[in-house]
Amino acid sequence: MRRCVTRLLASPAWCGPAASPQGAVCSCMANISSSQGPVSASRLRWLASSSSTPGSTQRTSRLETWRGPAGQPPPLNPGAAAAAAAADSGPTGPITALAAQQVALTAIPAVPKLLGFAGAIPFMMLTPYVVEASGLSGLALTAAKAQVGYGALIVTFLGALHWGLAMVSTLSGPKAAAMVRERYIWSVFPALAAWPTLQMETAPASFIVAMLLGICYLSDRSYFKAGSLPAWYMTLRGWLTTLSVLSMLATTLYFVANDVRKAKSRLDEEDRLLALAAEAEIAAKMAARAKAIEEADQSEQTQAVVKRGWFSNGSK
């Protein structure tokens, strides 16, 4: 049996009729895969290694004692099997990652998936760039304020979720009690942090809401690693957080770009006024100089006339 498994590892396509030894191995592997999940190459190498009982010369394959009470490895769950298969397949590429994301999306229940992605639509549609592209540029500011209010509402909802989870917690013990208290405290923080954004200017308010959405995701991820949240919820949260944060940051960028453009226009206007003032000052100086020259010429002419009159009187 051990040789058959070793041969199968060397040539995965090697498999004969069911009556042959290799056919028996393939059939056994099929039974194991159907009951325990996919069997990775590393698992087969472990099974191919033979075990012996101390003081005995009999050697048996661990594949034969798979379901035995002693010496058997822990059963594979689907998550561990998938991780082992991914580890044995080598580095994952973009296509493999995309396929994994598609599988993760299909694992999300239909109702949360529908409501979640429907809830992301206001974030995207109320972005000022989208509003302007729709030909409603006059409503860009109103839409942005509505987006900030909606974002603050979603942040409050994400915090309130932990209040509900703390209420239905059935864990016992001091550590569990501390975790429940932590959840109660955390559940009110997002609402308190999002509330002031309703009174702020749109640019800083949208940026703060985007940061709060990211913080809520990181908090949920820490609870997920502790086993308090299902995997499908974090998959859904990852997609929705990405869409909402990008939409809020786009709103921030829109108003920052507007402020930069207004500041540049104001500086250009100030430069234009300064140039006009400088030109006026130069013109005034030139006019004063011309007037001084003119007055000097008139003074010289007057003096010349006076002198001519004095000489003419003296000759008489």
Side-chain angles (χ1 to χ4, degrees), residues 107-120:
I108 303 174
V111 174
K113 186 193 304 184
L114 177 62
L115 294 177
F117 282 103

Side-chain angles (χ1 to χ4, degrees), residues 91-102:
T92 59
I95 298 179
T96 307
L98 181 60
Q101 284 295 324
Q102 291 177 349

Side-chain angles (χ1 to χ4, degrees), residues 75-289:
L76 289 173
N77 54 48
D88 290 333
S89 62
T92 59
I95 298 179
T96 307
L98 181 60
Q101 284 295 324
Q102 291 177 349
V103 172
L105 282 174
T106 57
I108 303 174
V111 174
K113 186 193 304 184
L114 177 62
L115 294 177
F117 282 103
I121 293 176
F123 279 110
M124 296 181 290
M125 297 305 296
L126 293 174
T127 304
Y129 288 113
V130 177
V131 175
E132 285 191 350
S134 303
L136 303 172
S137 56
L139 298 177
L141 179 59
T142 303
K145 290 182 178 179
Q147 186 193 48
V148 170
Y150 182 73
L153 181 67
I154 294 300
V155 169
T156 303
F157 167 78
L158 294 175
L161 174 72
H162 290 273
W163 184 286
L165 291 174
M167 289 178 61
V168 299
S169 176
T170 58
L171 300 177
S172 59
K175 188 175 181 180
M179 183 179 294
V180 169
R181 286 195 302 271
E182 180 185 344
R183 280 201 166 188
Y184 276 125
I185 295 172
W186 165 251
S187 66
V188 299
F189 170 77
L192 295 176
W195 178 35
T197 61
L198 302 178
Q199 307 299 325
M200 294 182 180
E201 294 291 333
T202 310
S206 59
F207 181 77
I208 291 175
V209 169
M211 294 300 100
L212 289 175
L213 289 168
I215 291 172
C216 287
Y217 174 79
L218 294 177
S219 174
D220 288 352
R221 189 160 186 81
S222 67
Y223 283 114
F224 164 71
K225 290 180 179 179
S228 303
L229 292 171
W232 66 261
Y233 175 75
M234 292 311 303
T235 302
L236 181 63
R237 285 280 284 113
W239 283 94
L240 299 182
T241 300
T242 301
L243 293 174
S244 59
V245 169
L246 289 179
S247 299
M248 298 304 302
L249 291 179
T251 300
T252 305
L253 178 63
Y254 174 85
F255 285 100
V256 169
N258 274 353
D259 291 341
V260 171
R261 189 162 49 250
K262 290 178 180 178
K264 185 177 179 181
S265 300
R266 187 164 55 249
L267 290 175
D268 291 342
E269 181 65 18
E270 290 178 356
D271 291 341
R272 188 181 69 83
L273 294 176
L274 289 174
L276 290 176
E279 291 178 0
E281 184 179 358
I282 293 173
K285 288 181 178 180
M286 292 180 66
R289 185 176 180 181

Side-chain angles (χ1 to χ4, degrees), residues 1 3 9 31 60 65 120-121 153 162 173 182 218 226 236 259 293 299:
M1 181 71 74
R3 281 197 301 270
L9 286 171
N31 293 333
T60 59
T65 60
I121 293 176
L153 181 67
H162 290 273
E182 180 185 344
L218 294 177
L236 181 63
D259 291 341
I293 293 173
S299 176

